[in-house]
Amino acid sequence: MNERKGNPMFSSIQVNDTEDYSSSYAATYTGVSIKTFILLGLVVLFGVIGVVAIPVNALFAMIIISPIVCLISALVGYRVPSAAMICGILYAIFQGVTLGVTTAIVDAAFPGIASSAIIATIATFTVMLFLYVTGVIRASSKFRAFIYTALLSILLVNLVILFTSLFTSALVDVFYGNGAFALIIAVAVVVIAALSLIVDFANVTNLVEGGFDKRYEWTCALGLMVSIIYLYIQILRVLMIIASRANKD
């Protein structure tokens, strides 16, 4: 079974990239881990900078263009390994600023929710890594198909909601309000986001054990960062709904 297709970025890795690399030029778990921590550190750093140091006008401009920059950075980083480091840094900077401001606003409305989301994200990542390492959950072809289908479904539903929001807020209220249905959907998305980490772990294993070139470490780090940030955002959303429902009661 080919495990390199769990994340779109790994589709750019060719079989012949495993050939004729000495151990000093081959990707390692340590290398991927260090680079992932570097990118996540930049997210945190620029999240803080976005809240305390960037002027309001510049901040709004960055938030507006952030989705475009992050999308382009991710796509280029996925397809061009030599550009993965720069793309990862750009993604971390712009996503960090956006997340920092968003987190600060949410935490001001619901004190303590940000720290809870961070702790929950770390705990979830740790649990999923343990389940993967111990072999409790494996990235089989059926598992991958399930994750891909679920993520694609989430994307399509969000596109439909975005389109219909131009005419009515009905679907927005249903899926992004604080009702019971919205909470159930949000929890389900968190579960999918957590399970998708298993596929990312399997891809990293395939990369390292397959002897791929060291330059792909940045590609792996970018992929893991994107997955972790997505998990954090979804956990934050669940906690927001719970807090909103509690305040309402």
Side-chain angles (χ1 to χ4, degrees), residues 106 109-111 113 178 183 236-249:
V106 172
F110 306 104
I113 195 173
N178 60 359
L183 179 58
L236 186 64
R237 177 188 168 200
V238 168
L239 295 179
M240 285 174 58
I241 294 175
I242 294 174
S244 179
R245 289 171 62 85
N247 289 345
K248 185 177 179 180
D249 295 338

Side-chain angles (χ1 to χ4, degrees), residues 54-137:
I54 299 180
V56 176
N57 291 338
L59 188 61
F60 281 139
M62 287 192 70
I63 291 175
I64 291 173
I65 67 173
S66 178
I68 299 174
V69 173
C70 288
L71 177 61
I72 294 175
S73 297
L75 291 176
V76 174
Y78 294 169
R79 303 301 304 180
V80 186
S82 60
M85 181 181 72
I86 299 300
C87 290
I89 292 173
L90 284 174
Y91 188 100
I93 291 174
F94 281 85
Q95 188 69 275
V97 170
T98 302
L99 278 182
V101 174
T102 302
T103 299
I105 293 173
V106 172
D107 199 62
F110 306 104
I113 195 173
S115 57
S116 296
I118 292 172
I119 293 172
T121 301
I122 295 173
T124 302
F125 180 89
T126 303
V127 169
M128 298 312 297
L129 182 58
F130 174 79
L131 293 176
Y132 172 73
V133 171
T134 57
V136 175
I137 301 179

Side-chain angles (χ1 to χ4, degrees), residues 155-238:
L155 174 61
L156 292 177
V157 168
N158 278 285
L159 289 175
V160 171
I161 294 173
L162 178 62
F163 176 74
T164 58
S165 67
L166 299 174
F167 311 100
T168 175
S169 63
L171 287 182
V172 175
D173 295 337
V174 171
F175 283 89
Y176 288 94
N178 60 359
F181 181 75
L183 179 58
I184 293 173
I185 294 298
V187 171
V189 173
V190 167
V191 172
I192 296 301
L195 289 175
S196 68
L197 287 171
I198 297 295
V199 178
D200 289 327
F201 297 150
N203 286 326
V204 175
T205 298
N206 183 73
L207 186 85
V208 174
E209 295 187 357
F212 286 94
D213 187 84
K214 202 172 185 65
R215 68 183 185 273
Y216 287 111
E217 289 178 348
W218 281 108
T219 309
C220 291
L222 174 58
L224 282 169
M225 175 182 62
V226 171
S227 296
I228 293 170
I229 289 175
Y230 181 66
L231 176 63
Y232 167 75
I233 292 173
Q234 299 310 317
I235 289 176
L236 186 64
R237 177 188 168 200
V238 168

